[in-house]
Amino acid sequence: MSDTIDAEALRLRYLEERDKRLRDDGNEQYIEPTGAFAHYLDDPYVEPVEREPFTDDVTVAFIGGGFAGLVTGARLKQAGIDDVRIIEKGGDFGGTWYWNRYPGAMCDTAAMIYMPLLEETGHMPSEKYTKAPELLAHCQRIGRHFGLYDNAALSTEVTEVTWDDHASRWIIRTNRGDDMRARFLAMGTGPLHRPKLPGIDGIESFAGHSFHTSRWDYAYTGGSPAGDLMTGLADKRVGIIGTGATSVQCIPHLAAAAGELHVFQRTPSSIDIRNNAEIDAEWFATLQPGWQAEWLANFTTLQTGGFADQDLVMDGWTDISQRIRDKTIAKGDFTPQGMLAAYHDSDDEKMTEIRARVDEIVTDRATAESLKPWYRQLCKRPCFHDEYLQSFNKPSVHLVDTDGKGVERIDEAGVWVDGKHYELDLLIYASGFEVGTDYARRSGFDAIGRDGIALSQKWEDGMMSLHGTHVHGFPNMFIVGPSQAANLISNVPHNLVERGQTLAKVISHALAVGADQVEPTAEAEAAWVELLEAGSRGFGNNPDCTPGYYNNEGKLATEANMRSSLGFPDGPMPYFNYIDDWRNSGSFEGLEFRRHRDL
Ligand code: NDP
């Protein structure tokens, strides 16, 4: 490690900064957008289209029209299962990319691996890191390409999901009066789906305009998701609460447009270099069929500490993990303690570089000091941006450093911090999404399985599943997400594409053998969770970290919380290889395929 870094001093500073931010209320510090706050969830983008309620019976219903639903729908269609209905709360497909249209929204994971089904849909990403409108358009492209719009239920919120064991059907009710049946039900409602608001005293009293970043009000701000100047803000005093990955991306646009911009910061994000570039069409045309699977495997291997001949993606994620890996090799100590020490050294170097970058870019010394993150890079979502720090050099942009305490109070006219009042016309909540809360609360519905048992009841002591997908007591139901499987956080769609393939195989098999019910045995489910629990504890939850959703807001996670973040003990690539063998074996070990006459 560099001689100039005093690791011990850093450790103490990190703990000191963490302690400033620890709070007894943990996740409870946030408020749900319900009751007087429910309007923060309204869809600002599309008016629901009138339609007759669905009362039909489909082969597969999928709740969620984001990447999970789209890639699964695509794989089902490819497998010849045509009767698929995606049910989506938003007015179109897109999920995250439907809702998050804030200016500057883009994806931190390289488009070549983040955008699913590029080969199948024939799309070439325009840039290494694509902007949100292109991602939304790609979601729509997948929808069109695979005919998923034909049978979709958009602007439709599921309210009840109940298993009818006698008929072997899921009964699905919605806020549009639908009362439909589905032979198979899949759910991909997204891990960061439900916006949350900061529980700041007086939040309800603000009389100016306000919205959450996931419901951007362009009618008020002017501009567009493509980044056109928000002319409506020219004479406005704008405040933004939160400085996470979302805020980092929209602040440069607010800084360019607002009369005055006040950024209320509790904890600064780490901002590494973005280095975006256009994708060269000639080079893209040279890629051989099967390239995307190869790129996915290459990224996942390198990002999780493995070796490959070359780094195809070459981004901040693979950089982090290769630094740690190379440091471990250089030290030659492959014990868990040795690897941890290598991680600490490499992180100290990285974070020192990140703090030095703040000094290089931000001209005002006090502002630069406030923008420096004092924690390990993976304690919070690492950010990558080449215009964020520069925004603070504009005279109209004011960083309000709350020194870890957060905004004190909100009143009719604005925001209070440390006894000082900031008058605002517009207050934007960049306060993130619910993560550590109950599954049913985040989804907005509970699935009621066999014998009337709710999924929330079944998971009272934590998520239980086979492969993160199948749940005993919930026949013909499939979950599509990263948990209890690969748990690959740096490229979520990779988890989903794989899961879609698995579902297509399992459902095709059930249809081929005439099975009315598919369900994991209780033993297989228990054995899977036991296997996961015997391995590493999954993602996050480091109590030394500054609080945030990565570590349950600094509260030691309960056993139940821990279970939902478990991943395959050997890591994501071994999981993907394992599940590929499992689904291709034809025996689907752990699942029971039953016919009515056997029931
Ligand atoms: P986050 O949860 O990351 O950030 C919420 C912000 O609100 C934090 O800065 C938090 O401070 C702040 N905050 C909360 N309460 C208060 C308060 N009382 N006073 C002042 N500040 C407060 O949400 P984001 O929407 O930024 O990001 C969520 C996730 O979405 C990311 O982590 C990432 O996974 C994903 N994302 C991905 C992108 C991509 O490129 N792929 C882009 C954008 C988002 P504190 O840190 O102190 O808690």
Side-chain angles (χ1 to χ4, degrees):
M1 185 172 69
S2 160
D3 297 338
T4 55
I5 296 175
D6 181 345
E8 193 46 36
L10 272 187
R11 214 79 331 114
L12 292 173
R13 175 81 195 258
Y14 286 7
L15 291 176
E16 199 184 305
E17 293 289 338
R18 178 206 61 181
D19 291 348
K20 277 185 200 170
R21 291 167 173 83
L22 282 175
R23 336 174 11 142
D24 288 339
D25 49 3
N27 279 316
E28 298 307 314
Q29 69 179 284
Y30 290 100
I31 45 182
E32 276 194 88
T34 52
F37 301 105
H39 66 277
Y40 283 102
L41 291 187
D42 290 348
D43 185 344
Y45 312 123
V46 168
E47 279 297 318
V49 175
E50 283 305 314
R51 63 166 174 81
E52 288 301 310
F54 288 113
T55 53
D56 53 354
D57 191 332
V58 294
T59 307
V60 184
F62 196 105
I63 304 177
F67 278 145
L70 292 167
V71 298
T72 305
R75 294 300 184 218
L76 291 168
K77 292 265 177 163
Q78 284 175 321
I81 301 158
D82 217 33
D83 185 21
V84 178
R85 171 167 300 142
I86 295 182
I87 307 166
E88 165 57 48
K89 183 162 56 174
D92 201 340
F93 293 141
T96 286
W97 303 108
Y98 176 83
W99 296 111
N100 288 285
R101 301 187 189 198
Y102 58 85
M106 68 186 301
C107 184
D108 278 346
T109 303
M112 296 286 283
I113 51 164
Y114 182 79
M115 295 176 86
L117 310 180
L118 285 174
E119 289 189 77
E120 288 85 340
T121 55
H123 179 69
M124 180 191 88
S126 61
E127 292 175 285
K128 179 163 183 175
Y129 305 100
T130 21
K131 303 197 171 64
E134 186 170 336
L135 292 163
L136 175 58
H138 188 59
C139 292
Q140 294 162 338
R141 179 179 300 112
I142 297 172
R144 284 193 307 274
H145 188 90
F146 291 98
L148 296 169
Y149 278 104
D150 300 346
N151 203 12
L154 300 172
S155 299
T156 303
E157 229 177 310
V158 169
T159 50
E160 277 178 60
V161 175
T162 311
W163 173 246
D164 177 345
D165 202 46
H166 183 67
S168 291
R169 287 290 184 275
W170 283 97
I171 302 166
I172 303 161
R173 300 201 172 95
T174 76
N175 68 342
R176 304 289 298 268
D178 303 310
D179 190 350
M180 53 186 127
R181 291 171 168 253
R183 185 158 173 185
F184 302 99
L185 169 75
M187 308 194 288
T189 48
L192 291 160
H193 156 82
R194 194 169 164 76
K196 62 186 187 197
L197 294 166
I200 299 168
D201 276 354
I203 182 170
E204 69 293 339
S205 63
F206 184 62
H209 200 66
S210 64
F211 53 79
H212 186 273
T213 48
S214 64
R215 306 288 190 277
W216 199 273
D217 186 358
Y218 283 104
Y220 180 90
T221 63
S224 73
D228 296 314
L229 187 69
M230 291 180 281
T231 47
L233 299 183
D235 57 351
K236 297 286 190 294
R237 297 158 302 180
V238 179
I240 182 163
I241 295 183
T243 48
T246 297
S247 190
V248 164
Q249 293 183 336
C250 66
I251 277 174
H253 292 262
L254 289 169
E260 297 290 329
L261 175 65
H262 296 280
V263 177
F264 299 100
Q265 172 185 277
R266 189 164 69 179
T267 310
S269 281
S270 70
I271 318 290
D272 207 349
I273 295 165
R274 163 80 303 160
N275 221 358
N276 202 4
E278 282 182 13
I279 290 185
D280 175 11
E282 268 181 46
W283 166 80
F284 190 81
T286 64
L287 296 171
Q288 298 302 307
W291 70 263
Q292 198 175 29
E294 190 195 333
W295 277 61
L296 284 167
N298 180 268
F299 173 83
T300 302
T301 302
L302 289 173
Q303 209 275 305
T304 52
F307 291 92
D309 289 345
Q310 56 171 326
D311 180 356
L312 292 168
V313 171
M314 281 199 295
D315 70 350
W317 296 111
T318 56
D319 179 53
I320 296 171
S321 40
Q322 287 180 94
R323 276 174 183 247
I324 300 168
R325 185 200 63 196
D326 294 348
K327 185 99 30 201
T328 311
I329 294 167
K331 282 178 170 260
D333 181 353
F334 297 95
T335 61
Q337 295 85 341
M339 288 199 273
L340 190 65
Y343 161 58
H344 286 169
D345 281 3
S346 143
D347 185 74
D348 287 348
E349 281 177 16
K350 182 56 156 175
M351 290 305 282
T352 301
E353 279 172 32
I354 280 176
R355 287 185 288 266
R357 185 169 183 245
V358 180
D359 275 331
E360 278 162 32
I361 295 173
V362 178
T363 47
D364 178 70
R365 296 318 339 132
T367 307
E369 276 316 305
S370 292
L371 286 166
K372 289 180 187 169
W374 296 99
Y375 48 82
R376 294 200 178 284
Q377 192 182 22
L378 296 177
C379 282
K380 280 197 175 281
R381 176 60 147 78
C383 296
F384 308 90
H385 215 285
D386 295 338
E387 287 100 35
Y388 174 72
L389 294 169
Q390 289 80 347
S391 304
F392 293 92
N393 291 336
K394 284 184 191 285
S396 57
V397 179
H398 315 285
L399 181 71
V400 183
D401 180 6
T402 67
D403 195 26
K405 292 190 271 298
V407 165
E408 199 175 295
R409 191 154 54 87
I410 297 178
D411 67 11
E412 207 179 301
V415 161
W416 289 88
V417 173
D418 205 15
K420 187 169 170 196
H421 189 248
Y422 298 84
E423 270 197 27
L424 301 172
D425 301 301
L426 168 64
L427 181 52
I428 301 169
Y429 296 108
S431 43
F433 303 85
E434 291 197 9
V435 176
T437 52
D438 180 63
Y439 179 85
R441 168 170 156 170
R442 275 181 292 132
S443 306
F445 63 89
D446 209 349
I448 310 296
R450 209 183 26 239
D451 304 326
I453 305 286
L455 192 56
S456 57
Q457 252 174 304
K458 158 101 188 182
W459 285 356
E460 218 161 32
D461 297 324
M463 180 176 176
M464 292 292 292
S465 76
L466 173 66
H467 305 158
T469 312
H470 319 274
V471 183
H472 180 70
F474 295 78
N476 296 10
M477 185 187 88
F478 310 95
I479 293 162
V480 180
S483 300
Q484 294 201 346
N487 222 8
L488 179 69
I489 305 301
S490 52
N491 187 19
V492 172
H494 191 175
N495 303 273
L496 309 178
V497 171
E498 285 288 335
R499 189 68 57 89
Q501 247 158 280
T502 305
L503 259 64
K505 286 270 183 189
V506 172
I507 293 175
S508 297
H509 183 75
L511 293 172
V513 299
D516 298 293
Q517 297 193 2
V518 186
E519 188 185 351
T521 63
E523 296 73 32
E525 184 182 82
W528 180 253
V529 175
E530 203 177 311
L531 173 83
L532 267 46
E533 285 185 325
S536 81
R537 302 300 273 157
F539 175 72
N541 202 48
N542 180 350
D544 290 344
C545 276
T546 189
Y549 80 83
Y550 273 23
N551 73 342
N552 197 34
E553 297 297 338
K555 293 237 163 220
L556 263 191
T558 58
E559 202 55 31
N561 285 143
M562 294 292 279
R563 276 204 182 140
S564 63
S565 67
L566 286 172
F568 194 60
D570 296 338
M573 261 337 276
Y575 172 78
F576 291 137
N577 293 332
Y578 161 83
I579 204 69
D580 196 44
D581 288 345
W582 181 86
R583 67 185 169 226
N584 288 325
S585 70
S587 58
F588 303 101
E589 208 183 323
L591 285 187
E592 268 180 5
F593 293 80
R594 298 185 291 260
R595 288 162 182 252
H596 267 304
R597 64 165 183 266
D598 310 324
L599 293 171

